[in-house]
Amino acid sequence: MPYFRLGYRLVALLSVVLLSFLTSVALWLLFRDNQKAHCKWVGWFARFWARRACAAIGLRYTVEGDLEIPPGSMIVANHVGAVDIFLMAANFKLFFVSKAEVNGWPVVGQMAQLGKTIFVDRSRRHQVTGMINSIRERMREGFNVAWFPEGSVTKGDSVYPFKPSAFEAAVQEKRPVVPVLIRYKADEPYVASWTGTLGEHMIRVLKCKGLTATVRVFPPLPPAQTRQELSRFSHDLLYQAFHGTSPETDPQAMSVSASSER
């Protein structure tokens, strides 16, 4: 039964990916000389196809909180695996910030490019500056930008320290930050966590019988004076919602280290 489930879900997901790719190419051809119009339509269709991707992989989710957020917001969430991207795109019109190596992945990289993803190599300071400027431009035009400030995927067992760098765009533009907490539940622990290759990760997800998720949307945080403040406020809010206690009072908490505050 798991392999039958894997088979028909894989076909369904590949169909969604193919149609989404063709839609993205069509939008690029139609609006390549009008970036604002291109971004507008990409945001709409990304949400349309993300909802169908969630259905294709058998993911059921509930939303807690208000999805009506101010245009031009920065959305930050904890990061567990590839399914996070489907969940976020299914519920918000947004554009992602992603690590630079994704741009070189077959198919995924091309789709990310067509989806107007903002790429960044955090090891190169000038690229971080370019990322901040790109995020500012998108938010200034009224588009929401989402990223995962933990910097990498996790087991989904906690909310790990945040990297503050991209929060600088929200500080400079005085835009609200919307924290989002993603939690998964399945018979197999951590099935939604990205371990191994992307293919191995997705096979586990597609074989899973009852994967469910909760997307908890918090009210927007007001503008702050520094990126470190925004990073700390949003991290502590999600950490407390996850564990029921604040990082300062939890002896097992992983506080934001000085090395992550770049």
Side-chain angles (χ1 to χ4, degrees):
M1 185 63 180
Y3 290 97
F4 176 73
R5 186 182 303 119
L6 169 64
Y8 75 74
R9 284 182 178 173
L10 181 59
V11 171
L13 180 60
L14 290 176
S15 299
V16 170
V17 170
L18 176 61
L19 291 171
S20 176
F21 180 78
L22 294 175
T23 302
S24 299
V25 171
L27 291 175
W28 179 77
L29 291 172
L30 285 170
F31 300 109
R32 56 184 171 181
D33 296 325
N34 188 336
Q35 179 169 303
K36 190 168 184 178
H38 190 192
C39 286
K40 177 182 176 181
W41 285 103
V42 166
W44 193 90
F45 273 105
R47 188 166 65 169
F48 176 85
W49 288 117
R51 290 175 176 176
R52 277 138 191 85
C54 288
I57 65 176
L59 174 66
R60 296 183 179 182
Y61 63 88
T62 57
V63 177
E64 299 175 356
D66 190 359
L67 289 173
E68 296 298 321
I69 64 174
S73 293
M74 174 178 284
I75 306 170
V76 297
N78 59 309
H79 197 16
V80 181
V83 182
D84 303 343
I85 296 171
F86 297 151
L87 272 176
M88 295 285 283
N91 287 289
F92 300 98
K93 289 182 181 179
L94 50 74
F95 297 91
F96 287 102
V97 177
S98 177
K99 57 186 180 181
E101 50 262 44
V102 172
N103 194 23
W105 294 358
V107 182
V108 176
Q110 285 73 36
M111 291 194 66
Q113 290 179 40
L114 291 168
K116 306 294 288 183
T117 297
I118 299 170
F119 295 103
V120 60
D121 183 349
R122 290 192 179 92
S123 66
R124 300 182 179 182
R125 187 172 296 276
H126 73 279
Q127 286 207 10
V128 174
T129 301
M131 169 196 69
I132 292 170
N133 291 335
S134 296
I135 295 173
R136 292 181 63 189
E137 182 179 354
R138 295 284 176 90
M139 293 193 298
R140 198 179 302 135
E141 292 177 341
F143 299 116
N144 302 320
V145 177
W147 66 298
F148 302 107
E150 287 166 308
S152 63
V153 294
T154 71
K155 290 177 64 177
D157 58 345
S158 185
V159 178
Y160 287 74
F162 282 3
K163 297 182 182 297
S165 55
F167 284 101
E168 182 65 26
V171 171
Q172 293 186 18
E173 289 298 315
K174 296 180 170 56
R175 301 304 305 168
V177 172
V178 180
V180 175
L181 181 66
I182 299 173
R183 300 191 75 165
Y184 294 99
K185 184 178 180 181
D187 294 336
E188 180 185 345
Y190 310 128
V191 68
S193 177
W194 185 337
T195 55
T197 66
L198 176 60
E200 292 169 341
H201 168 47
M202 290 308 301
I203 286 173
R204 284 195 303 273
V205 170
L206 293 172
K207 287 170 65 176
C208 181
K209 182 178 181 180
L211 181 61
T212 62
T214 301
V215 180
R216 185 174 176 184
V217 184
F218 291 85
L221 298 176
Q225 295 297 316
T226 68
R227 62 180 183 268
Q228 287 82 7
E229 287 179 349
L230 274 178
S231 176
R232 185 175 64 254
F233 292 160
S234 54
H235 171 268
D236 290 357
L237 180 64
L238 295 185
Y239 188 98
Q240 183 159 359
F242 192 99
H243 291 284
T245 183
S246 67
E248 290 79 6
T249 60
D250 186 350
Q252 296 183 348
M254 297 181 66
S255 60
V256 179
S257 64
S259 63
S260 70
E261 297 193 357
R262 295 189 288 122

